[in-house]
Amino acid sequence: MNIYEACPTIENDKFLLRLFANEDCDDLLKVYSDKNALPFFNSDNCDGDNFYYATKERMTEALDFWNLSYKNGWFARLSIVDKTVSNVIGTVELCLRVSEDEFNNMGILRVDVRSDYEKEDVLYEVISLITPHLSEMLGCNGIITKAPIYAVERIKAIQKAGFTKSDYLLIGKTGYAYDGYWEMK
């Protein structure tokens, strides 16, 4: 199943992951205008976008770009719905990395959540919900995700999910080397 031909809906008793929708704008604005969540967003190699959207207009522009990116097969962004409160509390971004570095043909997993959801149990649940499907959805040889050293809850969650700290740096489009990556093969 190619994620760009048909984006699956994946769920358990607490969370639902589905392709984002424009109707998610208000909930996503709460995520992407959350200054306490911002340090956990992975904006490596994203042409200077730090994913801080403080207005509905800026959030709408981002949604338009995410739509274009999905249609062009650049990346897929799924909304994370907390089923207990029926709100979107973040997103999962997925893409296949084509590069000359050690992470060639790896799936990139980015998880952005509101700061009140940046907790080991929540992150583990979301990550362990999506990771079993990534090889099939992206056609990748493994998965990488970023967790800076200060992201203690995130690091505990990804370790629990089976990720190990990578010895390699991710080499960006401009040649800049990014650290803090974890991998699952």
Side-chain angles (χ1 to χ4, degrees):
M1 163 186 35
N2 180 326
I3 193 168
Y4 300 108
E5 292 171 5
C7 187
T9 298
I10 304 166
E11 66 183 305
N12 62 18
D13 57 331
K14 292 182 187 173
F15 296 103
L16 170 80
L17 306 178
R18 56 153 172 80
L19 190 62
F20 79 94
N22 289 337
E23 296 76 36
D24 298 339
C25 186
D26 290 340
D27 284 348
L28 289 173
L29 181 59
K30 292 174 188 169
V31 176
Y32 290 100
S33 66
D34 181 348
K35 290 180 182 175
N36 293 321
L38 185 62
F40 300 101
F41 299 165
N42 176 0
S43 60
D44 291 356
N45 222 22
C46 291
D47 301 317
D49 189 348
N50 67 357
F51 301 104
Y52 179 67
Y53 310 135
T55 65
K56 189 166 184 170
E57 293 74 28
R58 184 62 188 100
M59 190 71 242
T60 301
E61 289 172 5
L63 293 172
D64 291 343
F65 180 69
W66 296 351
N67 253 323
L68 177 70
S69 298
Y70 181 72
K71 288 177 183 167
N72 286 315
W74 301 334
F75 63 81
R77 199 165 283 258
L78 287 70
S79 286
I80 305 167
V81 179
D82 180 339
K83 292 167 63 171
T84 61
V85 292
S86 299
N87 287 333
V88 175
I89 54 92
T91 66
V92 171
E93 182 188 306
L94 308 169
C95 68
L96 181 65
R97 180 159 171 78
V98 178
S99 66
E100 299 293 324
D101 63 15
E102 295 296 326
F103 300 127
N104 185 44
N105 207 35
M106 299 278 283
I108 297 177
L109 170 65
R110 290 183 167 121
V111 179
D112 300 340
V113 293
R114 282 189 342 226
S115 59
D116 54 327
Y117 283 88
E118 183 70 28
K119 298 178 179 159
E120 177 186 357
D121 59 333
V122 171
L123 293 166
Y124 171 75
E125 193 141 0
V126 169
I127 290 166
S128 61
L129 186 59
I130 191 74
T131 51
H133 307 280
L134 292 183
S135 178
E136 182 183 4
M137 290 190 313
L138 296 172
C140 56
N141 293 335
I143 307 159
I144 59 172
T145 195
K146 182 166 182 160
I149 58 171
Y150 55 81
V152 256
E153 296 289 317
R154 188 170 290 251
I155 289 171
K156 287 190 269 184
I158 62 177
Q159 285 178 316
K160 187 176 176 182
F163 284 83
T164 56
K165 181 82 170 89
S166 178
D167 295 328
Y168 301 104
L169 300 174
L170 184 140
I171 308 302
K173 298 178 271 198
T174 63
Y176 187 85
Y178 300 96
D179 66 352
Y181 280 87
W182 294 69
E183 58 189 326
M184 176 190 285
K185 293 196 176 184

